[in-house]
Amino acid sequence: MRDQPSGVAPDAGTGPAAVPEPDLGHHGDAEVGAGLVDLAVNVRQAPLPDWLAGPITATLTDLGRYPDPAPARAAVAARHRRHPNEVLLTAGAAEGFVLIAQALRGVRRPVVVHPQFTEPEAALRAAGHRVERVLLDPADDFRLDPDRVPADADLVMIGNPTNPTSVLHPARTLAALARPGRVLVVDEAFADTTAVPGRPGEPESLAERRDLPGLLVVRSLTKTWGLAGLRIGYLLGAPELLSRLAAVQPLWAVSTPALAAASACATPVAVQAERAIAAELAADRDHLTARLADLPGVRVVGRPASAFVLLHLPGADRVRAALRARGWAVRRGDTFPGLGPDWLRVAVRDRTTTDAFIEVLRETMEA
């Protein structure tokens, strides 16, 4: 069993009246079951394009050789205008968090900014770290004030855009957290889902920043391209920092098919397709938030920027169970530190699916 965190922020709940400790090991896939419409998992549901499926399939006839990460590492580096020694390929973003937790055992004051994906804290706790939380305030749209992070924190972990809040923090705000003697981990697993009209590329991403001391950017290729079962991601950072993480990584951690996917997803064709998908997603997300705004009692906090939307709804735990009984799976919010039973996360899907969901949600709330 993982140790309970110490140094929990006061508003996380302490003492006899404390709320139950969130289940950090709970993830959206646990909500999904046979016959349910999946709005719980943030993985895009679409067939693989030929330029991606082809290279993956081609590797299946050559699995007798050990994986060679060099070509994929070079491709990812070129995509982000970095040197290959500034890239560490991983078996999904989740492995990256484990490597960070294992390699940086000497940190004294690790801080995780919540609500966010729970695996960074879970990995730290499993490695024996005593974790402190900074809880962002829904009344302030979960915006980050860098001054809330303790000045002597030597490891800071935050998501951008953040799961489950869908908040996209300004790059300058995150950059203000970087300083000598600190490792700043920015989880950009959903950076490729963001789009802002008039701004090319991935707004607010730090993936190409080489000037910020101690910066580690965590990326995933499993969300947009529907590769959760393949497990492929990577870390971007200074070579000396990545070498410490690589020293605790198992040999041949990334499979040959996953390496082929990494190379394919780093091509200009892939990046162009990614940007088109992000623009389409933004339109579908706007449709979802507009329909939710018509439901009394449902509140979407802030302006969502990713492939999911966080809802505040009194009695959401009961609504979730009722939705499940009617064939719809949504993500519970109470397993995220800083949230509780009145929160739900809903994945953005096509408009037809959204419209059907809204009607079922309306009927469930009125029942």
Side-chain angles (χ1 to χ4, degrees), residues 79 168 191-205 208 219 271 274-276 278-279:
R79 185 226 162 126
L168 183 63
D192 60 358
T193 68
T194 60
V196 174
R199 294 182 59 183
E202 300 170 345
E204 316 305 346
S205 172
E208 296 184 4
R219 301 283 297 214
V271 174
E274 199 176 79
R275 294 293 81 212

Side-chain angles (χ1 to χ4, degrees), residues 292 295 298 311 313 319 323 326 344 356-366:
L292 289 167
L295 299 180
V298 176
L311 315 180
L313 170 63
V319 171
L323 287 170
R326 300 187 64 171
L344 297 174
F357 168 68
I358 292 297
E359 292 312 307
V360 173
L361 178 58
R362 186 194 308 276
E363 293 169 4
T364 300
M365 293 170 58
E366 292 175 350

Side-chain angles (χ1 to χ4, degrees), residues 341-360:
D342 291 335
W343 295 89
L344 297 174
R345 191 192 69 194
V346 177
V348 177
R349 302 296 188 215
D350 62 88
R351 298 186 184 198
T352 299
T353 302
T354 289
D355 289 343
F357 168 68
I358 292 297
E359 292 312 307
V360 173

Side-chain angles (χ1 to χ4, degrees), residues 27-334:
H27 298 293
D29 58 328
E31 311 278 1
V32 182
L36 297 178
V37 181
D38 177 12
L39 302 185
V41 177
N42 298 323
V43 174
R44 181 168 166 264
Q45 300 176 338
L48 296 185
D50 291 343
W51 56 259
L52 177 55
I56 294 173
T57 303
T59 67
L60 300 182
T61 61
D62 193 28
L63 296 181
R65 291 191 294 175
Y66 286 99
D68 176 10
R73 187 166 57 236
V76 170
R79 185 226 162 126
H80 294 293
R81 302 180 185 180
R82 286 180 171 268
H83 191 275
N85 65 3
E86 296 175 313
V87 177
L88 179 63
L89 298 164
T90 60
E95 190 203 16
F97 300 128
V98 172
L99 298 181
I100 291 166
Q102 295 292 336
L104 304 183
R105 288 179 176 270
V107 297
R108 302 178 308 280
R109 193 176 186 183
V111 170
V112 179
V113 180
H114 283 291
Q116 76 146 302
F117 184 48
T118 54
E119 276 306 298
E121 180 173 328
L124 289 171
R125 289 167 57 179
H129 294 276
R130 299 174 63 84
V131 180
E132 184 171 350
R133 295 172 181 163
V134 170
L135 302 181
L136 303 185
D137 188 353
D140 194 32
D141 292 340
F142 296 111
R143 280 192 287 259
L144 172 67
D145 177 359
D147 290 338
R148 292 201 57 209
V149 176
D152 62 344
D154 50 357
L155 173 63
V156 176
M157 307 183 85
I158 186 170
N160 201 44
T162 303
N163 172 19
T165 64
S166 204
V167 168
L168 183 63
H169 302 290
R172 64 180 180 277
T173 301
L174 296 180
L177 292 173
R179 62 193 60 186
R182 170 185 289 175
V183 176
L184 171 62
V185 179
V186 181
D187 176 8
E188 292 192 358
F190 291 95
D192 60 358
T193 68
T194 60
V196 174
R199 294 182 59 183
E202 300 170 345
E204 316 305 346
S205 172
L206 298 180
E208 296 184 4
R209 293 288 296 268
R210 307 174 71 196
D211 59 315
L212 298 175
L215 175 65
L216 273 178
V217 175
V218 182
R219 301 283 297 214
S220 172
L221 297 174
T222 65
K223 314 302 183 186
T224 291
W225 300 118
L227 298 175
L230 194 60
R231 310 309 306 140
I232 178 63
Y234 52 90
L235 304 176
L236 304 171
E240 58 274 17
L241 184 53
L242 291 185
S243 66
R244 295 174 62 185
L245 275 58
V248 300
Q249 187 178 37
L251 290 173
W252 310 296
V254 182
S255 71
T256 299
L259 293 173
S263 294
C265 291
T267 64
V269 169
V271 174
Q272 183 178 11
E274 199 176 79
R275 294 293 81 212
I277 291 169
E280 181 181 359
L281 174 67
D284 288 340
R285 185 176 59 242
D286 288 345
H287 180 73
L288 172 60
T289 55
R291 292 300 312 274
L292 289 167
D294 292 335
L295 299 180
V298 176
R299 180 167 64 101
V300 176
V301 179
R303 181 174 178 80
S306 191
F308 44 88
V309 172
L310 183 66
L311 315 180
H312 183 267
L313 170 63
D317 52 347
R318 297 186 297 276
V319 171
R320 178 177 62 86
L323 287 170
R324 186 176 185 85
R326 300 187 64 171
W328 294 81
V330 295
R331 174 65 160 89
R332 63 192 295 178
D334 61 344

